Amino acid sequence: EEISTLREKLEQKDAVSRVKIQELTQLLRSRDEEIRIRDEEISTLRGKLEENDAVSAGSVQEQEKLLQTRDEEISTLRAELERNDAVSTAKTQELTQLLQTRDEKISTLRNKLEESDQSDALKAAEAK
């Protein structure tokens, strides 16, 4: 009878253990499913981040190219401006020289005219 009682207790403990094993197995399956779902979410987020990084990298490269193009345009415009300034300076000097030459010719002609007028006045005075 004692063996029978021990056998019953052992069977009860065995039954309780089986139930606990089933509960733990179910809990592990549930946790595995949660982990799988989180892994999928992480994978999706990682993919989006990589995609965003690629887009950002492309955008940065595009901006760098635009800046390089602008720098080249600025250099070209600066060189043109310097050439134009040099041409303007040369033309200004040329015009200044022409004006000075003209002023000298006018002054010479004025002097000759005055001399001619004085000469004519002397001749007229002598003729009287």
Side-chain angles (χ1 to χ4, degrees):
E1 202 173 293
E2 210 177 291
I3 291 176
S4 177
T5 305
L6 287 173
R7 189 174 279 147
E8 282 180 26
K9 285 183 181 181
L10 186 60
E11 287 175 1
Q12 286 175 352
K13 285 185 179 182
D14 191 36
V16 168
S17 292
R18 280 191 204 119
V19 169
K20 285 187 178 183
I21 288 172
Q22 286 177 348
E23 289 174 353
L24 289 173
T25 301
Q26 184 61 34
L27 181 63
L28 284 174
R29 285 183 187 147
S30 175
R31 294 274 168 98
D32 284 346
E33 181 63 18
E34 287 176 14
I35 290 170
R36 186 191 63 76
I37 290 170
R38 286 191 181 154
D39 284 347
E40 286 177 5
E41 290 173 351
I42 289 170
S43 178
T44 301
L45 290 174
R46 183 174 287 133
K48 286 181 181 179
L49 282 174
E50 289 171 356
E51 191 177 303
N52 287 342
D53 285 349
V55 168
S56 294
S59 179
V60 166
Q61 288 175 346
E62 188 177 316
Q63 292 299 320
E64 286 174 346
K65 285 180 183 177
L66 285 174
L67 286 174
Q68 184 178 358
T69 301
R70 293 285 164 92
D71 286 347
E72 290 169 0
E73 289 173 355
I74 289 170
S75 294
T76 301
L77 290 171
R78 185 173 286 132
E80 286 179 22
L81 182 61
E82 288 171 358
R83 279 194 300 276
N84 288 342
D85 283 349
V87 168
S88 293
T89 300
K91 287 199 184 269
T92 301
Q93 289 172 348
E94 182 182 336
L95 288 173
T96 302
Q97 183 63 42
L98 286 172
L99 287 172
Q100 186 177 355
T101 302
R102 185 197 72 168
D103 289 345
E104 289 171 1
K105 284 182 181 177
I106 289 173
S107 179
T108 302
L109 288 173
R110 188 174 286 139
N111 289 339
K112 284 182 180 179
L113 183 60
E114 287 175 4
E115 288 173 9
S116 175
D117 286 349
Q118 288 175 356
S119 175
D120 288 345
L122 280 176
K123 285 180 185 175
E126 287 175 3
K128 283 185 184 179

